[in-house]
Amino acid sequence: MTSKKTNNAHHHGDLRNALVQAGMELLTEGGVSALTLRGCAAKAQVSHAAPKHHFKDLAALREAVALECFVAFNQSLLDAIENGGSAPTEQLHSICRGYLDFAIKQPAYFDAIFSMGSLVSFSTDLGEQSPTAYETLAKVCSHFVTKERDALTVETQVWALIHGYSQLVRMGRFNEHTEAARDAPPSEGPFDQVMALLQHLAD
Amino acid sequence: MTSKKTNNAHHHGDLRNALVQAGMELLTEGGVSALTLRGCAAKAQVSHAAPKHHFKDLAALREAVALECFVAFNQSLLDAIENGGSAPTEQLHSICRGYLDFAIKQPAYFDAIFSMGSLVSFSTDLGEQSPTAYETLAKVCSHFVTKERDALTVETQVWALIHGYSQLVRMGRFNEHTEAARDAPPSEGPFDQVMALLQHLAD
DNA sequence: TGTACATCAGTGAACGCGCGTTCACTGATGTAC
DNA sequence: TGTACATCAGTGAACGCGCGTTCACTGATGTAC
């Protein structure tokens, strides 16, 4: 029971939230194109006109769902750092690992973040105390800034490499092309070998 | 006149090709979601049931359009290499430059290749004499394979970095957030600085 | 060179589907007094 | 504490739209003889 005592036919109590959660499930089940107003309403067991009281239009609902995906992504990066070593190179490895893991474990959320919200959400202030994904990335990268290499460069090098790699994995680049492995999660490929490219940042 | 003399009401002569070309235009104008059977038929000035004689379903038409995009991408990489220096590091720079340029100049094609055809097309034999994009990439990378770094690793390092970077640029990472620059092409950002990460491959 | 005919590649009407949106409505909530 | 009433947040029917698909059709093409 998240809401107080509102569980009636005519007053849901927390429909906005329920619609976003329904959207997350639809996203997982059928990808971005499955995110519809009617679909979310049905999943939340509410008439299909009900969402109009909470979202101006489909784009607004999708934006809310994308933001929720971003919150999860955000947390995934923070967790990865927390569970890894504290040395700069270890943190760098951890955040990249978290990035890739999210792409593998939550492929639909990953898609949503980078196909729906463009990159807006990446720096969107969530209004909480938690930093944005970009701030987290920037902090980890800050240890590798030198006279010849400014912050923007390091951040972009790291981001481009891990994002590109995650995309390749996500797109099935390293998948076995067998019938048997159809439902298996995608292979992560030569992650460590690729990340070795970043070890030069510490030189 | 590409076709012989067939320009009648009932026999288009080269409708399949015309539909794919129409699809390319729709793609440019409205993105992947604008690619519909009815849309292509309308653009090719043909009744909306006509495509059924050339494409089994919408997926088949989209596949054909994605393949055409890939052909253009393919050529873009070859041209970039041709117009650059012949030294291995120059070729590496050139192919990455071509990759990024394609993402900037043909964003819709870029999206189509990597969102519709998954990665299948990347290694798809085009049935011509020209190599696939992956073969081109692999050839350029082959000069940087060492005892500690096998071919797959180098290829993946380069591909991940340039693909990720191109995606960031494509998503507007380096855009000015001004109203004035709304219709301008996206800024390419610190391309050379980021590519500097690859110079270690030559060490 | 001409004719009969099968095949090919179009047309246009119709169908059902899911979608976003509008609308009059109504039950539940909360506030003024 | 009780009552009147404005507001909020739902319902369900209806609408129009674009879509893919099916279908009977027909004009153009090409081949057999």
PDB file of all heavy atoms in Angstrom, chain A residues 114 119 134 153 156-157 159-160 164-165 168 171 173-174 193-194 200, chain B residues 114 119 134 153 156-157 159-160 164-165 168 171 173-174 193-194 200:
ATOM      1  N   PHE A 114      18.604   6.254 -24.789  1.00  0.00           N
ATOM      2  CA  PHE A 114      19.389   6.812 -25.881  1.00  0.00           C
ATOM      3  C   PHE A 114      18.639   6.962 -27.196  1.00  0.00           C
ATOM      4  O   PHE A 114      19.193   7.422 -28.176  1.00  0.00           O
ATOM      5  CB  PHE A 114      20.661   5.990 -26.085  1.00  0.00           C
ATOM      6  CG  PHE A 114      21.601   6.093 -24.931  1.00  0.00           C
ATOM      7  CD1 PHE A 114      21.749   5.055 -24.049  1.00  0.00           C
ATOM      8  CD2 PHE A 114      22.295   7.270 -24.704  1.00  0.00           C
ATOM      9  CE1 PHE A 114      22.608   5.157 -22.952  1.00  0.00           C
ATOM     10  CE2 PHE A 114      23.146   7.388 -23.620  1.00  0.00           C
ATOM     11  CZ  PHE A 114      23.301   6.324 -22.741  1.00  0.00           C
ATOM     12  N   LEU A 119      19.758  13.053 -25.554  1.00  0.00           N
ATOM     13  CA  LEU A 119      20.714  13.042 -24.461  1.00  0.00           C
ATOM     14  C   LEU A 119      20.291  13.995 -23.365  1.00  0.00           C
ATOM     15  O   LEU A 119      21.017  14.214 -22.407  1.00  0.00           O
ATOM     16  CB  LEU A 119      22.100  13.441 -24.963  1.00  0.00           C
ATOM     17  CG  LEU A 119      22.859  12.347 -25.698  1.00  0.00           C
ATOM     18  CD1 LEU A 119      24.267  12.791 -25.966  1.00  0.00           C
ATOM     19  CD2 LEU A 119      22.862  11.072 -24.888  1.00  0.00           C
ATOM     20  N   TYR A 134      26.201  11.850 -15.963  1.00  0.00           N
ATOM     21  CA  TYR A 134      27.345  12.556 -16.527  1.00  0.00           C
ATOM     22  C   TYR A 134      28.256  13.102 -15.441  1.00  0.00           C
ATOM     23  O   TYR A 134      29.481  13.089 -15.573  1.00  0.00           O
ATOM     24  CB  TYR A 134      26.886  13.688 -17.457  1.00  0.00           C
ATOM     25  CG  TYR A 134      28.037  14.207 -18.275  1.00  0.00           C
ATOM     26  CD1 TYR A 134      28.508  13.489 -19.366  1.00  0.00           C
ATOM     27  CD2 TYR A 134      28.709  15.370 -17.912  1.00  0.00           C
ATOM     28  CE1 TYR A 134      29.600  13.918 -20.090  1.00  0.00           C
ATOM     29  CE2 TYR A 134      29.798  15.810 -18.635  1.00  0.00           C
ATOM     30  CZ  TYR A 134      30.246  15.093 -19.729  1.00  0.00           C
ATOM     31  OH  TYR A 134      31.332  15.515 -20.449  1.00  0.00           O
ATOM     32  N   THR A 153      37.846  16.204 -23.080  1.00  0.00           N
ATOM     33  CA  THR A 153      38.452  15.153 -23.907  1.00  0.00           C
ATOM     34  C   THR A 153      38.410  13.796 -23.215  1.00  0.00           C
ATOM     35  O   THR A 153      37.970  12.803 -23.808  1.00  0.00           O
ATOM     36  CB  THR A 153      39.910  15.521 -24.246  1.00  0.00           C
ATOM     37  OG1 THR A 153      39.924  16.714 -25.024  1.00  0.00           O
ATOM     38  CG2 THR A 153      40.588  14.391 -25.018  1.00  0.00           C
ATOM     39  N   THR A 156      34.908  12.448 -22.953  1.00  0.00           N
ATOM     40  CA  THR A 156      34.380  12.007 -24.241  1.00  0.00           C
ATOM     41  C   THR A 156      35.047  10.726 -24.713  1.00  0.00           C
ATOM     42  O   THR A 156      34.391   9.853 -25.291  1.00  0.00           O
ATOM     43  CB  THR A 156      34.559  13.120 -25.287  1.00  0.00           C
ATOM     44  OG1 THR A 156      34.020  14.338 -24.780  1.00  0.00           O
ATOM     45  CG2 THR A 156      33.825  12.754 -26.575  1.00  0.00           C
ATOM     46  N   GLN A 157      36.329  10.600 -24.452  1.00  0.00           N
ATOM     47  CA  GLN A 157      37.022   9.355 -24.818  1.00  0.00           C
ATOM     48  C   GLN A 157      36.399   8.162 -24.104  1.00  0.00           C
ATOM     49  O   GLN A 157      36.090   7.141 -24.715  1.00  0.00           O
ATOM     50  CB  GLN A 157      38.506   9.461 -24.455  1.00  0.00           C
ATOM     51  CG  GLN A 157      39.298  10.365 -25.397  1.00  0.00           C
ATOM     52  CD  GLN A 157      40.725  10.597 -24.932  1.00  0.00           C
ATOM     53  OE1 GLN A 157      41.019  10.577 -23.734  1.00  0.00           O
ATOM     54  NE2 GLN A 157      41.626  10.838 -25.884  1.00  0.00           N
ATOM     55  N   TRP A 159      33.461   7.988 -22.496  1.00  0.00           N
ATOM     56  CA  TRP A 159      32.046   7.821 -22.806  1.00  0.00           C
ATOM     57  C   TRP A 159      31.851   7.179 -24.189  1.00  0.00           C
ATOM     58  O   TRP A 159      31.079   6.241 -24.365  1.00  0.00           O
ATOM     59  CB  TRP A 159      31.323   9.178 -22.720  1.00  0.00           C
ATOM     60  CG  TRP A 159      29.834   9.089 -22.728  1.00  0.00           C
ATOM     61  CD1 TRP A 159      29.072   7.946 -22.714  1.00  0.00           C
ATOM     62  CD2 TRP A 159      28.916  10.173 -22.747  1.00  0.00           C
ATOM     63  NE1 TRP A 159      27.739   8.270 -22.723  1.00  0.00           N
ATOM     64  CE2 TRP A 159      27.607   9.623 -22.741  1.00  0.00           C
ATOM     65  CE3 TRP A 159      29.055  11.568 -22.772  1.00  0.00           C
ATOM     66  CZ2 TRP A 159      26.463  10.420 -22.771  1.00  0.00           C
ATOM     67  CZ3 TRP A 159      27.914  12.355 -22.782  1.00  0.00           C
ATOM     68  CH2 TRP A 159      26.632  11.789 -22.787  1.00  0.00           C
ATOM     69  N   ALA A 160      32.587   7.708 -25.158  1.00  0.00           N
ATOM     70  CA  ALA A 160      32.459   7.174 -26.522  1.00  0.00           C
ATOM     71  C   ALA A 160      32.820   5.690 -26.555  1.00  0.00           C
ATOM     72  O   ALA A 160      32.097   4.874 -27.124  1.00  0.00           O
ATOM     73  CB  ALA A 160      33.347   7.959 -27.482  1.00  0.00           C
ATOM     74  N   GLY A 164      29.923   3.069 -27.209  1.00  0.00           N
ATOM     75  CA  GLY A 164      30.029   2.337 -28.465  1.00  0.00           C
ATOM     76  C   GLY A 164      30.118   0.847 -28.224  1.00  0.00           C
ATOM     77  O   GLY A 164      29.426   0.052 -28.874  1.00  0.00           O
ATOM     78  N   TYR A 165      30.932   0.474 -27.255  1.00  0.00           N
ATOM     79  CA  TYR A 165      31.074  -0.950 -26.964  1.00  0.00           C
ATOM     80  C   TYR A 165      29.748  -1.545 -26.486  1.00  0.00           C
ATOM     81  O   TYR A 165      29.346  -2.626 -26.926  1.00  0.00           O
ATOM     82  CB  TYR A 165      32.160  -1.188 -25.910  1.00  0.00           C
ATOM     83  CG  TYR A 165      32.456  -2.652 -25.739  1.00  0.00           C
ATOM     84  CD1 TYR A 165      33.184  -3.343 -26.686  1.00  0.00           C
ATOM     85  CD2 TYR A 165      31.963  -3.358 -24.639  1.00  0.00           C
ATOM     86  CE1 TYR A 165      33.419  -4.696 -26.563  1.00  0.00           C
ATOM     87  CE2 TYR A 165      32.194  -4.717 -24.500  1.00  0.00           C
ATOM     88  CZ  TYR A 165      32.928  -5.382 -25.463  1.00  0.00           C
ATOM     89  OH  TYR A 165      33.145  -6.722 -25.350  1.00  0.00           O
ATOM     90  N   LEU A 168      27.478  -2.079 -29.378  1.00  0.00           N
ATOM     91  CA  LEU A 168      27.835  -3.248 -30.186  1.00  0.00           C
ATOM     92  C   LEU A 168      27.339  -4.526 -29.520  1.00  0.00           C
ATOM     93  O   LEU A 168      26.759  -5.399 -30.171  1.00  0.00           O
ATOM     94  CB  LEU A 168      29.351  -3.313 -30.388  1.00  0.00           C
ATOM     95  CG  LEU A 168      29.985  -2.192 -31.226  1.00  0.00           C
ATOM     96  CD1 LEU A 168      31.475  -2.440 -31.422  1.00  0.00           C
ATOM     97  CD2 LEU A 168      29.294  -2.072 -32.580  1.00  0.00           C
ATOM     98  N   MET A 171      23.655  -4.757 -29.792  1.00  0.00           N
ATOM     99  CA  MET A 171      23.187  -5.081 -31.143  1.00  0.00           C
ATOM    100  C   MET A 171      23.545  -6.506 -31.547  1.00  0.00           C
ATOM    101  O   MET A 171      23.271  -6.925 -32.669  1.00  0.00           O
ATOM    102  CB  MET A 171      23.765  -4.083 -32.151  1.00  0.00           C
ATOM    103  CG  MET A 171      23.193  -2.675 -31.983  1.00  0.00           C
ATOM    104  SD  MET A 171      23.704  -1.528 -33.296  1.00  0.00           S
ATOM    105  CE  MET A 171      25.420  -1.246 -32.875  1.00  0.00           C
ATOM    106  N   ARG A 173      26.611  -7.956 -31.591  1.00  0.00           N
ATOM    107  CA  ARG A 173      27.883  -8.108 -32.290  1.00  0.00           C
ATOM    108  C   ARG A 173      28.619  -9.388 -31.899  1.00  0.00           C
ATOM    109  O   ARG A 173      29.254 -10.020 -32.732  1.00  0.00           O
ATOM    110  CB  ARG A 173      28.763  -6.890 -31.981  1.00  0.00           C
ATOM    111  CG  ARG A 173      30.211  -6.999 -32.357  1.00  0.00           C
ATOM    112  CD  ARG A 173      30.423  -6.756 -33.815  1.00  0.00           C
ATOM    113  NE  ARG A 173      31.835  -6.864 -34.159  1.00  0.00           N
ATOM    114  CZ  ARG A 173      32.418  -7.987 -34.567  1.00  0.00           C
ATOM    115  NH1 ARG A 173      31.698  -9.068 -34.692  1.00  0.00           N
ATOM    116  NH2 ARG A 173      33.695  -8.007 -34.862  1.00  0.00           N
ATOM    117  N   PHE A 174      28.539  -9.755 -30.630  1.00  0.00           N
ATOM    118  CA  PHE A 174      29.334 -10.893 -30.164  1.00  0.00           C
ATOM    119  C   PHE A 174      28.479 -12.119 -29.872  1.00  0.00           C
ATOM    120  O   PHE A 174      28.897 -13.030 -29.180  1.00  0.00           O
ATOM    121  CB  PHE A 174      30.129 -10.483 -28.917  1.00  0.00           C
ATOM    122  CG  PHE A 174      30.975  -9.270 -29.149  1.00  0.00           C
ATOM    123  CD1 PHE A 174      30.616  -8.042 -28.599  1.00  0.00           C
ATOM    124  CD2 PHE A 174      32.102  -9.338 -29.952  1.00  0.00           C
ATOM    125  CE1 PHE A 174      31.383  -6.912 -28.842  1.00  0.00           C
ATOM    126  CE2 PHE A 174      32.877  -8.211 -30.190  1.00  0.00           C
ATOM    127  CZ  PHE A 174      32.512  -7.000 -29.638  1.00  0.00           C
ATOM    128  N   GLN A 193      39.698  -6.643 -22.773  1.00  0.00           N
ATOM    129  CA  GLN A 193      40.707  -6.314 -23.785  1.00  0.00           C
ATOM    130  C   GLN A 193      40.447  -4.934 -24.387  1.00  0.00           C
ATOM    131  O   GLN A 193      41.367  -4.158 -24.626  1.00  0.00           O
ATOM    132  CB  GLN A 193      40.711  -7.341 -24.928  1.00  0.00           C
ATOM    133  CG  GLN A 193      41.255  -8.705 -24.553  1.00  0.00           C
ATOM    134  CD  GLN A 193      40.152  -9.676 -24.191  1.00  0.00           C
ATOM    135  OE1 GLN A 193      39.311  -9.365 -23.326  1.00  0.00           O
ATOM    136  NE2 GLN A 193      40.129 -10.827 -24.826  1.00  0.00           N
ATOM    137  N   VAL A 194      39.180  -4.643 -24.637  1.00  0.00           N
ATOM    138  CA  VAL A 194      38.844  -3.345 -25.216  1.00  0.00           C
ATOM    139  C   VAL A 194      39.120  -2.219 -24.221  1.00  0.00           C
ATOM    140  O   VAL A 194      39.656  -1.174 -24.580  1.00  0.00           O
ATOM    141  CB  VAL A 194      37.374  -3.320 -25.681  1.00  0.00           C
ATOM    142  CG1 VAL A 194      36.961  -1.908 -26.043  1.00  0.00           C
ATOM    143  CG2 VAL A 194      37.197  -4.242 -26.880  1.00  0.00           C
ATOM    144  N   HIS A 200      46.011   3.600 -21.030  1.00  0.00           N
ATOM    145  CA  HIS A 200      46.975   4.623 -21.411  1.00  0.00           C
ATOM    146  C   HIS A 200      46.662   5.964 -20.764  1.00  0.00           C
ATOM    147  O   HIS A 200      47.521   6.826 -20.688  1.00  0.00           O
ATOM    148  CB  HIS A 200      47.021   4.777 -22.934  1.00  0.00           C
ATOM    149  CG  HIS A 200      47.445   3.532 -23.636  1.00  0.00           C
ATOM    150  ND1 HIS A 200      48.745   3.084 -23.643  1.00  0.00           N
ATOM    151  CD2 HIS A 200      46.739   2.612 -24.324  1.00  0.00           C
ATOM    152  CE1 HIS A 200      48.829   1.950 -24.322  1.00  0.00           C
ATOM    153  NE2 HIS A 200      47.626   1.637 -24.746  1.00  0.00           N
TER     154      HIS A 200
ATOM    155  N   PHE B 114      21.798   1.135 -38.012  1.00  0.00           N
ATOM    156  CA  PHE B 114      22.059   0.597 -36.678  1.00  0.00           C
ATOM    157  C   PHE B 114      20.817   0.390 -35.826  1.00  0.00           C
ATOM    158  O   PHE B 114      20.906  -0.054 -34.698  1.00  0.00           O
ATOM    159  CB  PHE B 114      23.064   1.478 -35.947  1.00  0.00           C
ATOM    160  CG  PHE B 114      24.422   1.447 -36.571  1.00  0.00           C
ATOM    161  CD1 PHE B 114      24.902   2.523 -37.293  1.00  0.00           C
ATOM    162  CD2 PHE B 114      25.200   0.305 -36.470  1.00  0.00           C
ATOM    163  CE1 PHE B 114      26.154   2.475 -37.889  1.00  0.00           C
ATOM    164  CE2 PHE B 114      26.445   0.248 -37.058  1.00  0.00           C
ATOM    165  CZ  PHE B 114      26.929   1.333 -37.775  1.00  0.00           C
ATOM    166  N   LEU B 119      22.882  -5.580 -36.757  1.00  0.00           N
ATOM    167  CA  LEU B 119      24.228  -5.506 -37.318  1.00  0.00           C
ATOM    168  C   LEU B 119      24.386  -6.473 -38.480  1.00  0.00           C
ATOM    169  O   LEU B 119      25.455  -6.633 -39.028  1.00  0.00           O
ATOM    170  CB  LEU B 119      25.267  -5.837 -36.255  1.00  0.00           C
ATOM    171  CG  LEU B 119      25.566  -4.722 -35.273  1.00  0.00           C
ATOM    172  CD1 LEU B 119      26.741  -5.113 -34.405  1.00  0.00           C
ATOM    173  CD2 LEU B 119      25.876  -3.439 -36.004  1.00  0.00           C
ATOM    174  N   TYR B 134      32.802  -3.932 -42.555  1.00  0.00           N
ATOM    175  CA  TYR B 134      33.619  -4.598 -41.530  1.00  0.00           C
ATOM    176  C   TYR B 134      34.944  -5.086 -42.098  1.00  0.00           C
ATOM    177  O   TYR B 134      35.981  -4.985 -41.444  1.00  0.00           O
ATOM    178  CB  TYR B 134      32.861  -5.766 -40.887  1.00  0.00           C
ATOM    179  CG  TYR B 134      33.560  -6.230 -39.640  1.00  0.00           C
ATOM    180  CD1 TYR B 134      33.463  -5.496 -38.467  1.00  0.00           C
ATOM    181  CD2 TYR B 134      34.388  -7.349 -39.652  1.00  0.00           C
ATOM    182  CE1 TYR B 134      34.143  -5.873 -37.327  1.00  0.00           C
ATOM    183  CE2 TYR B 134      35.079  -7.745 -38.521  1.00  0.00           C
ATOM    184  CZ  TYR B 134      34.941  -7.001 -37.357  1.00  0.00           C
ATOM    185  OH  TYR B 134      35.626  -7.373 -36.230  1.00  0.00           O
ATOM    186  N   THR B 153      40.354  -7.779 -31.008  1.00  0.00           N
ATOM    187  CA  THR B 153      40.486  -6.718 -29.998  1.00  0.00           C
ATOM    188  C   THR B 153      40.677  -5.352 -30.658  1.00  0.00           C
ATOM    189  O   THR B 153      39.974  -4.392 -30.329  1.00  0.00           O
ATOM    190  CB  THR B 153      41.663  -7.017 -29.051  1.00  0.00           C
ATOM    191  OG1 THR B 153      41.378  -8.215 -28.334  1.00  0.00           O
ATOM    192  CG2 THR B 153      41.875  -5.869 -28.074  1.00  0.00           C
ATOM    193  N   THR B 156      37.566  -4.182 -32.449  1.00  0.00           N
ATOM    194  CA  THR B 156      36.510  -3.789 -31.523  1.00  0.00           C
ATOM    195  C   THR B 156      36.828  -2.479 -30.820  1.00  0.00           C
ATOM    196  O   THR B 156      35.945  -1.650 -30.599  1.00  0.00           O
ATOM    197  CB  THR B 156      36.265  -4.903 -30.494  1.00  0.00           C
ATOM    198  OG1 THR B 156      36.063  -6.134 -31.180  1.00  0.00           O
ATOM    199  CG2 THR B 156      35.026  -4.592 -29.670  1.00  0.00           C
ATOM    200  N   GLN B 157      38.098  -2.288 -30.497  1.00  0.00           N
ATOM    201  CA  GLN B 157      38.498  -1.019 -29.878  1.00  0.00           C
ATOM    202  C   GLN B 157      38.184   0.150 -30.801  1.00  0.00           C
ATOM    203  O   GLN B 157      37.585   1.149 -30.392  1.00  0.00           O
ATOM    204  CB  GLN B 157      39.998  -1.040 -29.546  1.00  0.00           C
ATOM    205  CG  GLN B 157      40.341  -1.918 -28.337  1.00  0.00           C
ATOM    206  CD  GLN B 157      41.834  -2.059 -28.125  1.00  0.00           C
ATOM    207  OE1 GLN B 157      42.614  -2.003 -29.082  1.00  0.00           O
ATOM    208  NE2 GLN B 157      42.241  -2.262 -26.884  1.00  0.00           N
ATOM    209  N   TRP B 159      36.241   0.197 -33.538  1.00  0.00           N
ATOM    210  CA  TRP B 159      34.818   0.289 -33.885  1.00  0.00           C
ATOM    211  C   TRP B 159      34.015   0.894 -32.737  1.00  0.00           C
ATOM    212  O   TRP B 159      33.192   1.792 -32.932  1.00  0.00           O
ATOM    213  CB  TRP B 159      34.285  -1.095 -34.264  1.00  0.00           C
ATOM    214  CG  TRP B 159      32.947  -1.084 -34.913  1.00  0.00           C
ATOM    215  CD1 TRP B 159      32.209   0.011 -35.281  1.00  0.00           C
ATOM    216  CD2 TRP B 159      32.160  -2.219 -35.287  1.00  0.00           C
ATOM    217  NE1 TRP B 159      31.026  -0.377 -35.856  1.00  0.00           N
ATOM    218  CE2 TRP B 159      30.974  -1.735 -35.868  1.00  0.00           C
ATOM    219  CE3 TRP B 159      32.352  -3.593 -35.188  1.00  0.00           C
ATOM    220  CZ2 TRP B 159      29.972  -2.588 -36.346  1.00  0.00           C
ATOM    221  CZ3 TRP B 159      31.360  -4.447 -35.669  1.00  0.00           C
ATOM    222  CH2 TRP B 159      30.181  -3.945 -36.243  1.00  0.00           C
ATOM    223  N   ALA B 160      34.268   0.400 -31.526  1.00  0.00           N
ATOM    224  CA  ALA B 160      33.531   0.897 -30.366  1.00  0.00           C
ATOM    225  C   ALA B 160      33.758   2.400 -30.189  1.00  0.00           C
ATOM    226  O   ALA B 160      32.806   3.165 -29.994  1.00  0.00           O
ATOM    227  CB  ALA B 160      33.944   0.153 -29.101  1.00  0.00           C
ATOM    228  N   GLY B 164      30.736   4.864 -30.921  1.00  0.00           N
ATOM    229  CA  GLY B 164      30.232   5.584 -29.757  1.00  0.00           C
ATOM    230  C   GLY B 164      30.339   7.087 -29.949  1.00  0.00           C
ATOM    231  O   GLY B 164      29.399   7.831 -29.660  1.00  0.00           O
ATOM    232  N   TYR B 165      31.485   7.513 -30.471  1.00  0.00           N
ATOM    233  CA  TYR B 165      31.664   8.945 -30.684  1.00  0.00           C
ATOM    234  C   TYR B 165      30.652   9.469 -31.694  1.00  0.00           C
ATOM    235  O   TYR B 165      30.033  10.524 -31.492  1.00  0.00           O
ATOM    236  CB  TYR B 165      33.086   9.250 -31.153  1.00  0.00           C
ATOM    237  CG  TYR B 165      33.353  10.733 -31.205  1.00  0.00           C
ATOM    238  CD1 TYR B 165      33.558  11.452 -30.034  1.00  0.00           C
ATOM    239  CD2 TYR B 165      33.348  11.419 -32.409  1.00  0.00           C
ATOM    240  CE1 TYR B 165      33.764  12.813 -30.061  1.00  0.00           C
ATOM    241  CE2 TYR B 165      33.555  12.788 -32.453  1.00  0.00           C
ATOM    242  CZ  TYR B 165      33.758  13.478 -31.276  1.00  0.00           C
ATOM    243  OH  TYR B 165      33.950  14.832 -31.307  1.00  0.00           O
ATOM    244  N   LEU B 168      27.303   9.851 -30.109  1.00  0.00           N
ATOM    245  CA  LEU B 168      27.217  11.025 -29.235  1.00  0.00           C
ATOM    246  C   LEU B 168      26.999  12.289 -30.066  1.00  0.00           C
ATOM    247  O   LEU B 168      26.144  13.113 -29.741  1.00  0.00           O
ATOM    248  CB  LEU B 168      28.488  11.169 -28.389  1.00  0.00           C
ATOM    249  CG  LEU B 168      28.741  10.076 -27.344  1.00  0.00           C
ATOM    250  CD1 LEU B 168      29.984  10.406 -26.514  1.00  0.00           C
ATOM    251  CD2 LEU B 168      27.548   9.905 -26.423  1.00  0.00           C
ATOM    252  N   MET B 171      23.579  12.333 -31.436  1.00  0.00           N
ATOM    253  CA  MET B 171      22.544  12.627 -30.443  1.00  0.00           C
ATOM    254  C   MET B 171      22.605  14.061 -29.939  1.00  0.00           C
ATOM    255  O   MET B 171      21.851  14.459 -29.071  1.00  0.00           O
ATOM    256  CB  MET B 171      22.664  11.648 -29.270  1.00  0.00           C
ATOM    257  CG  MET B 171      22.290  10.216 -29.661  1.00  0.00           C
ATOM    258  SD  MET B 171      22.219   9.082 -28.250  1.00  0.00           S
ATOM    259  CE  MET B 171      23.944   8.894 -27.845  1.00  0.00           C
ATOM    260  N   ARG B 173      25.254  15.659 -28.582  1.00  0.00           N
ATOM    261  CA  ARG B 173      26.089  15.879 -27.394  1.00  0.00           C
ATOM    262  C   ARG B 173      26.847  17.200 -27.443  1.00  0.00           C
ATOM    263  O   ARG B 173      27.005  17.867 -26.432  1.00  0.00           O
ATOM    264  CB  ARG B 173      27.073  14.714 -27.275  1.00  0.00           C
ATOM    265  CG  ARG B 173      28.212  14.902 -26.300  1.00  0.00           C
ATOM    266  CD  ARG B 173      27.780  14.626 -24.894  1.00  0.00           C
ATOM    267  NE  ARG B 173      28.890  14.809 -23.962  1.00  0.00           N
ATOM    268  CZ  ARG B 173      29.160  15.966 -23.368  1.00  0.00           C
ATOM    269  NH1 ARG B 173      28.393  17.014 -23.583  1.00  0.00           N
ATOM    270  NH2 ARG B 173      30.171  16.063 -22.534  1.00  0.00           N
ATOM    271  N   PHE B 174      27.317  17.566 -28.617  1.00  0.00           N
ATOM    272  CA  PHE B 174      28.172  18.740 -28.713  1.00  0.00           C
ATOM    273  C   PHE B 174      27.475  19.929 -29.374  1.00  0.00           C
ATOM    274  O   PHE B 174      28.111  20.859 -29.837  1.00  0.00           O
ATOM    275  CB  PHE B 174      29.460  18.388 -29.477  1.00  0.00           C
ATOM    276  CG  PHE B 174      30.178  17.214 -28.890  1.00  0.00           C
ATOM    277  CD1 PHE B 174      30.143  15.978 -29.508  1.00  0.00           C
ATOM    278  CD2 PHE B 174      30.839  17.335 -27.676  1.00  0.00           C
ATOM    279  CE1 PHE B 174      30.780  14.884 -28.944  1.00  0.00           C
ATOM    280  CE2 PHE B 174      31.479  16.240 -27.102  1.00  0.00           C
ATOM    281  CZ  PHE B 174      31.453  15.011 -27.736  1.00  0.00           C
ATOM    282  N   GLN B 193      40.943  15.135 -30.723  1.00  0.00           N
ATOM    283  CA  GLN B 193      41.419  14.841 -29.369  1.00  0.00           C
ATOM    284  C   GLN B 193      41.003  13.441 -28.939  1.00  0.00           C
ATOM    285  O   GLN B 193      41.763  12.711 -28.310  1.00  0.00           O
ATOM    286  CB  GLN B 193      40.867  15.849 -28.356  1.00  0.00           C
ATOM    287  CG  GLN B 193      41.453  17.247 -28.475  1.00  0.00           C
ATOM    288  CD  GLN B 193      40.581  18.171 -29.309  1.00  0.00           C
ATOM    289  OE1 GLN B 193      40.227  17.834 -30.443  1.00  0.00           O
ATOM    290  NE2 GLN B 193      40.231  19.317 -28.754  1.00  0.00           N
ATOM    291  N   VAL B 194      39.767  13.083 -29.267  1.00  0.00           N
ATOM    292  CA  VAL B 194      39.282  11.767 -28.875  1.00  0.00           C
ATOM    293  C   VAL B 194      40.021  10.670 -29.636  1.00  0.00           C
ATOM    294  O   VAL B 194      40.404   9.639 -29.074  1.00  0.00           O
ATOM    295  CB  VAL B 194      37.761  11.658 -29.097  1.00  0.00           C
ATOM    296  CG1 VAL B 194      37.301  10.214 -28.937  1.00  0.00           C
ATOM    297  CG2 VAL B 194      37.027  12.562 -28.121  1.00  0.00           C
ATOM    298  N   HIS B 200      47.917   5.257 -29.398  1.00  0.00           N
ATOM    299  CA  HIS B 200      48.672   4.277 -28.618  1.00  0.00           C
ATOM    300  C   HIS B 200      48.754   2.927 -29.317  1.00  0.00           C
ATOM    301  O   HIS B 200      49.598   2.106 -29.002  1.00  0.00           O
ATOM    302  CB  HIS B 200      48.040   4.111 -27.235  1.00  0.00           C
ATOM    303  CG  HIS B 200      48.043   5.370 -26.433  1.00  0.00           C
ATOM    304  ND1 HIS B 200      49.178   5.886 -25.865  1.00  0.00           N
ATOM    305  CD2 HIS B 200      47.044   6.238 -26.135  1.00  0.00           C
ATOM    306  CE1 HIS B 200      48.886   7.004 -25.218  1.00  0.00           C
ATOM    307  NE2 HIS B 200      47.595   7.254 -25.374  1.00  0.00           N
TER     308      HIS B 200
END
